[in-house]
């Protein structure tokens, strides 16, 4: 029986050695796994921190984009208002241009009529100028005739005075002759 116990003790010792080796191996493996776990935990922590930072950055980017979007919406609304004003102004200008075109057409018609009237007046002016030239020629001739008539009248008046003087002298002489004759 002792031998059986000794054998069992040896078996247990061997088993203990094997278990110790297995235990060392498991401890090493456990230590390796713990180290891997720590590394993975650190990696996870780093990843979570990085994800947090990214999320924070994304929040800031989203916030900035939202503010920019508000600004762009405001700008867009302003531009739409400006566009509406410009469309109204364009419509007003079209009305004004249409009115101006009508005025231009009316003025062109008036100008055409005025040109026709000017042609007629120019033609009348030419006729009147011709008539005036003829009348001036006649007037010049009448002035000349009148000047000659005045000269003739002056000459006649001189002759008449001379004739009156002569007649007076003759009357005086006749008187003197009658007086002499009476004497």
């Amino acid at each position: 029986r002792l031998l059986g116990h000794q054998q069992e003790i040896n078996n247990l010792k061997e088993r203990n050695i094997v278990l110790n080796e297995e235990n060392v191996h498991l401890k090493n493996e456990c230590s390796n796994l713990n180290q891997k776990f720590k590394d993975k935990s650190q990696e996870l922590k780093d990843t979570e921190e990085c994800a947090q930072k990214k999320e924070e950055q994304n929040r800031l980017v989203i916030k900035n984009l939202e503010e920019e979007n508000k600004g762009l919406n405001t700008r867009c609304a302003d531009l739409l208002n400006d566009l509406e004003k410009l469309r109204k102004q364009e419509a007003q200008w079209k009305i004004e241009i249409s009115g101006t075109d009508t005025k231009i057409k009316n003025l062109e018609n008036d100008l055409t009529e005025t040109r026709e009237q000017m042609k007629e007046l120019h033609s009348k002016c030419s006729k009147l100028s011709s008539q005036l030239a003829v009348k001036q020629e006649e007037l010049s001739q009448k002035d000349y005739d009148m000047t000659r008539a005045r000269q003739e009248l002056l000459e006649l008046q001189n002759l008449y005075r001379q004739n009156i003087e002569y007649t007076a002298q003759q009357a005086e002489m006749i008187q003197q002759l009658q007086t002499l004759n009476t004497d």
Side-chain angles (χ1 to χ4, degrees):
R1 236 179 135 151
L2 191 60
L3 198 66
H5 280 305
Q6 188 65 37
Q7 183 69 31
E8 196 176 328
I9 287 172
N10 286 339
N11 283 343
L12 284 172
K13 279 184 180 177
E14 282 179 17
R15 179 137 171 86
N16 190 20
I17 290 170
V18 169
L19 283 175
N20 279 338
E21 286 176 0
E22 199 175 310
N23 194 17
V24 166
H25 178 68
L26 285 174
K27 279 184 182 178
N28 285 338
E29 197 173 319
C30 188
S31 176
N32 287 340
L33 286 174
N34 275 337
Q35 187 60 41
K36 282 184 181 178
F37 178 75
K38 283 181 185 176
D39 292 345
K40 290 293 179 186
S41 292
Q42 186 62 40
E43 192 178 323
L44 179 65
K45 187 178 174 185
D46 292 345
T47 304
E48 284 176 350
E49 285 177 4
C50 186
Q52 247 182 342
K53 286 179 184 176
K54 284 277 187 195
E55 194 176 327
E56 188 61 35
Q57 285 176 347
N58 286 341
R59 272 194 223 113
L60 284 172
V61 168
I62 289 169
K63 185 179 176 185
N64 290 338
L65 287 173
E66 284 173 350
E67 287 177 7
E68 190 177 338
N69 193 27
K70 282 181 188 175
L72 289 173
N73 284 336
T74 303
R75 180 74 180 130
C76 190
D78 291 344
L79 288 173
L80 286 173
N81 287 336
D82 290 347
L83 180 64
E84 188 60 32
K85 287 177 186 174
L86 288 172
R87 284 185 178 153
K88 286 179 182 176
Q89 196 172 22
E90 180 188 19
Q92 183 64 34
W93 284 349
K94 283 183 180 176
I95 292 168
E96 289 175 9
I97 287 171
S98 174
T100 304
D101 287 345
T102 304
K103 285 179 184 177
I104 288 172
K105 285 180 184 173
N106 291 338
L107 287 171
E108 285 174 347
N109 291 338
D110 290 349
L111 183 62
T112 305
E113 288 176 18
T114 304
R115 282 183 178 150
E116 288 300 317
Q117 289 174 357
M118 286 290 287
K119 284 181 185 175
E120 290 175 17
L121 288 173
H122 188 67
S123 176
K124 285 181 182 177
C125 259
S126 294
K127 288 178 185 175
L128 288 173
S129 290
S130 298
Q131 290 175 358
L132 181 63
V134 169
K135 293 291 181 189
Q136 282 179 333
E137 186 64 36
E138 289 175 3
L139 186 62
S140 293
Q141 186 61 43
K142 285 183 179 179
D143 277 346
Y144 176 74
D145 291 346
M146 204 155 116
T147 303
R148 274 189 48 217
R150 280 187 184 145
Q151 286 176 348
E152 288 175 8
L153 180 64
L154 284 173
E155 288 173 11
L156 285 173
Q157 284 175 340
N158 284 336
L159 284 174
Y160 179 73
R161 266 189 242 118
Q162 288 173 1
N163 200 6
I164 288 176
E165 288 174 8
Y166 181 71
T167 305
Q169 285 174 357
Q170 277 185 345
E172 208 175 297
M173 285 177 122
I174 290 172
Q175 185 73 31
Q176 285 176 353
L177 283 173
Q178 280 179 349
T179 305
L180 282 173
N181 191 18
T182 308
D183 287 342

